[in-house]
Amino acid sequence: MLRAFTGSQVRDAERPLLERGMGRDLMARAAHGLYRSLVAELRRTRGGLYGARVTAVVGKGNNGGDALFALAELAGRGVRTTAILASGSAHTEGLAAFLAAGGRVERTLGRADIVVDAVLGTGASGDYRAPFPRPEGIVVACDLPSGVDADSGTASPEVWRADVTVTFGALKSGLLAGRGRALAGRVEVIDIGIGEYLPQPDVYVLEAEDVRGVLPEPRDDWQKYTRGVLGVIAGSDQYPGAAVLTTSAALATGVGMVRHIAPESVRRAVLAAHPEVVASGSPEGRVQAWAVGPGIGDDAGQQSAFDVALDSGLPIVVDASGLNRIPGPPLDGRAVLTPHAGELARVLSRLGLDVERPEVEERPIRWARLAAERLGATVLLKGPATVCAAPDGTVCVQAVSHPYLATAGSGDTLTGIVGALLATTSYARPVHVAAAAAMVHGRAGRIAAEGGPFGAGELSAAVRQAVAAFQGGVPEAPLGAAVDLPFAGR
Ligand SMILES: NC(=O)C1=CN([C@@H]2O[C@H](COP(=O)(O)OP(=O)(O)OC[C@H]3O[C@@H](n4cnc5c(N)ncnc54)[C@H](OP(=O)(O)O)[C@@H]3O)[C@@H](O)[C@H]2O)[C@@H](O)CC1
Ligand SMILES: Nc1ncnc2c1ncn2[C@@H]1O[C@H](COP(=O)(O)OP(=O)(O)O)[C@@H](O)[C@H]1O
């Protein structure tokens, strides 16, 4: 499991070392890490350092200082380095080292193989105005893309999108969620020796081996009931397809049995696709968990089936119109709610919190955590990154996904995956089950996308492949983009 921290947590962890006069050492480690990443990027993109040009746009704080020291090292290797001082001044020692190594200060941006964005790091506050529009070509952000908030991932409109973000000390939460995730590009973490001072993480990221730990191991002594039975309350005359998608995904994830509850026409559709499903018009027979909500609309029979499931005391995942029916808080910790941002905004409004969809999209960690705490349920907030929050404040962010997953019915598939894992996993915490399900869903989306755009109906086949890949120990980059996390943040 990776660990991510807020900007202030990282700054607090640096403090004891700064008090011992180690500020220069920390900056030297950060700068050297940035230098190495720049060398690697130059080698990757132009085959070597010979004739290369690197420009840093630097602010007056330590973030600019990191970049100036890094470019001084690059200049020592023969790279032509220039710096643009965005605020007219710069870190004194960094600038001196840069100039001594042969770096030049310019006013305008000339041709460069890489532009380093080092105007602002964790010391940013308020709105950010970029000194000029994002240059064409490769941008490497120093610690954070300037203007991204290290805690929330909110970003000023002018922030440059980075191809690579080289971040120091630990992974920052703001690089995982909100606009910060998309603006950061590939994230590299540089160890600067503050690990022992870091507190409890703000956010966790499940890795492939963690997902494997949540997936049940096939066992010789399984029989269909002990393996786990999932009850699915999905579909209505208006939305029969949602039931097919949810049950397909549950079967593809792996369960002992699916019991499906729906009106007759919906049951027929499900049985045509999956004859192995045990279908009935009302909740009957034992299950280990419930998946409720996809496509139930305002069907009265499905709504009362929902109430039976909720009263059962069993683990339950609630999606779509089921979210409109959850009772007031607190739920008892066994429920996983799977809203998208618009649905979460509505849930929060019912709790008396006046928030609109864009605000939830901008600060997904904050709102998912708050909703989970207030509701006493695990909240899985869907979006390009999936934020899973537990009532005790634990948050996991999973960024393995594909934009083709933004398609009708893709959420129904996710509900089936969550349900199957709740039914078959007895030890994992709901927040880890939810995050593992998001990883399976995201990886399935990537597998399906290899063949081009797809509809949700094609996703279940890829869910099977994703489960098999996790079970087989095939790695998956946890942060979504190709990721290199050499030392810290683990
Ligand atoms: N601490 C350490 O030991 C280590 C820290 N490290 C590095 O230091 C970075 C943090 O450095 P930092 O604290 O100097 O802050 P930084 O991000 O450079 O910017 C602050 C400056 O920007 C200004 N400013 C603020 N907001 C602004 C805005 N919206 N628009 C415009 N200007 C704005 C603000 O000026 P003020 O407004 O306060 O006058 C202030 O001068 C961190 O990200 C990492 O890279 C590493 O070397 C490892 C060791
Ligand atoms: N831009 C995107 N990139 C990656 N995944 C996305 C994106 N947009 C949505 N998703 C994922 O697709 C699914 C959509 O779910 P949802 O909105 O409930 O769809 P539906 O209700 O039609 O089934 C969620 O798992 C979400 O995380």
Side-chain angles (χ1 to χ4, degrees), residues 340 382-384 386 401-403 405-412 414 441:
H340 55 58
K382 295 181 277 198
T386 301
S401 65
H402 194 285
L405 283 169
T407 185
S410 156
D412 305 336
L414 177 65
H441 184 253

Side-chain angles (χ1 to χ4, degrees), residues 148-168:
V148 165
D149 182 79
D151 301 2
S152 63
T154 54
S156 301
E158 294 181 9
V159 173
W160 295 353
R161 180 187 52 75
D163 297 282
V164 182
T165 293
V166 182
T167 200
F168 309 125

Side-chain angles (χ1 to χ4, degrees), residues 235-241 265-266 295-299:
S236 56
D237 289 331
Q238 197 182 359
Y239 306 113
S265 65
V266 183
I296 64 173
D298 50 14
D299 183 297

Side-chain angles (χ1 to χ4, degrees), residues 27-41:
M27 188 173 274
R29 291 173 201 166
H32 186 64
L34 176 60
Y35 154 80
R36 287 180 49 177
S37 296
L38 291 169
V39 168
E41 199 59 21

Side-chain angles (χ1 to χ4, degrees), residues 11 14 18 26-27 30 60-64 66 120-128 142-143 168 192:
R11 288 168 79 89
E14 285 163 352
L18 297 181
L26 294 184
M27 188 173 274
K60 62 183 175 179
N62 291 327
N63 190 250
D66 293 338
L120 289 178
T122 55
S125 58
D127 260 1
Y128 168 66
C142 175
D143 204 17
F168 309 125
I192 60 167

